[in-house]
Amino acid sequence: MIISGQEEALESNALRGKVALVTGAASGIGLAVAERFVADGAQVVIADVQAEAGSVQAKRLGCIFVECDLALRSGCRTLVDQVLEAFGTLHILINNAGFQHIDAIEDFPEDTWDRMMAVMLTAPFLLTKYAWPAMKAQRWGRVIQISSIHGLVASPFKSGYITAKHGLIGLTRTAALEGGAYGITVNAICPAYVRTPLVEAQIADQARLRGISRDEVIEKVMLEPAAVKRLIEPEEIADLVAYLCTGTGSIITGSAWTMDLGWTAR
């Protein structure tokens, strides 16, 4: 019998009994990961600053939605507390929330820089810190950072995003060393351009800054460095996330997985 990927996941119940928290899950990669976790039998909490979209997706998936602003320390603390109150523990943390801003360094707004660091670097640290005691106590945990190929290489006009994503790799490696003795693995996934609202939104900004058309942005900026000339689908990221959360994934920690279509093969 041929079984589709989702049907196979539903039959395997690979994550039954596990509690997962996914940030930035109202759309894009976070939503794809939440969908995969639900299919694999996990109890899922999705968090996002977009209240309406998050509520709609949570209702569709049959999971819990928490509206929160991860730029605030109190938002991070409250989010983890709500998960622990609802389920008593937390097994899987997916740090996915983020946003993009494209500007030359001299024009880059300082308030935007501060918010990017708060949401994309400080929040993953705080959420990991607050989830850590529960993971240590049960001697099992998975922390996965959705970084970017821009956590490993750089491109112009993205100083805030690239700085945060590089920092996330450092956090991943440090946490992996601290968590290994307690059955906690910590990894980062570093994709090239994924077909998400975040990527769609930056095409116009890139065209403006570079003085080229939208089609040229896709062809000459986004896909030019890649050997495989296409965007990555969010579900493809979710497949790797799901693998890292399995028992087989327990030997993998401290890594930065490139899903870059051959970008860094040069």
Side-chain angles (χ1 to χ4, degrees), residues 167-181:
L168 203 53
I169 301 299
L171 173 62
T172 297
R173 291 170 173 159
T174 302
L177 294 176
E178 294 188 27

Side-chain angles (χ1 to χ4, degrees), residues 6-242:
Q6 185 169 2
E7 289 169 337
E8 186 176 16
L10 285 167
E11 284 198 358
S12 68
N13 289 316
L15 295 179
R16 181 169 295 280
K18 296 294 190 287
V19 177
L21 169 60
V22 186
T23 68
S27 64
I29 295 171
L31 178 58
V33 170
E35 290 172 337
R36 177 60 187 266
F37 282 171
V38 169
D40 281 0
Q43 296 173 297
V44 180
V45 178
I46 64 175
D48 207 293
V49 73
Q50 301 179 63
E52 183 176 354
S55 297
V56 168
Q57 297 297 348
K59 184 177 181 179
R60 178 177 68 86
L61 294 174
C63 59
I64 293 175
F65 171 68
V66 177
E67 179 187 2
C68 66
D69 185 353
L70 296 179
L72 304 175
R73 185 182 302 177
S74 59
C76 296
R77 174 81 265 185
T78 300
L79 175 57
V80 175
D81 284 348
Q82 286 184 267
V83 176
L84 296 176
E85 183 178 349
F87 297 105
T89 193
L90 176 57
H91 298 93
I92 300 167
L93 169 63
I94 309 299
N95 287 312
N96 169 72
F99 65 99
Q100 182 63 277
H101 183 85
I102 297 174
D103 247 327
I105 287 176
E106 65 269 28
D107 299 320
F108 205 99
E110 294 170 18
D111 288 345
T112 301
W113 172 278
D114 289 344
R115 184 168 180 82
M116 292 188 93
M117 296 306 115
V119 171
M120 297 167 60
L121 186 54
T122 301
F125 162 71
L126 291 174
L127 294 172
T128 302
K129 171 184 170 72
Y130 300 147
W132 208 250
M135 292 182 178
K136 284 180 68 174
Q138 67 204 6
R139 302 190 71 82
W140 198 101
R142 298 287 186 270
V143 180
I144 300 175
Q145 329 282 16
I146 305 301
S147 183
S148 166
I149 195 60
H150 282 127
L152 303 172
V153 300
S155 295
F157 309 122
K158 297 181 178 181
S159 55
Y161 186 89
I162 289 169
T163 298
K165 293 300 190 181
H166 271 70
L168 203 53
I169 301 299
L171 173 62
T172 297
R173 291 170 173 159
T174 302
L177 294 176
E178 294 188 27
Y182 302 97
I184 304 169
T185 67
V186 188
N187 292 285
I189 296 177
C190 303
Y193 289 100
V194 183
R195 195 186 307 277
T196 65
L198 184 149
V199 168
E200 296 289 347
Q202 69 176 281
I203 294 173
D205 287 338
Q206 289 273 16
R208 170 180 56 83
L209 279 170
R210 295 171 183 268
I212 59 178
S213 70
R214 291 172 59 91
D215 288 344
E216 287 177 305
V217 169
I218 296 171
E219 180 183 350
K220 297 181 179 179
V221 178
M222 293 183 170
L223 299 184
E224 192 280 330
V228 181
K229 305 296 186 183
R230 69 172 179 86
L231 296 177
I232 300 168
E233 300 300 330
E235 294 77 15
E236 294 174 306
I237 308 300
D239 286 344
L240 179 53
V241 170

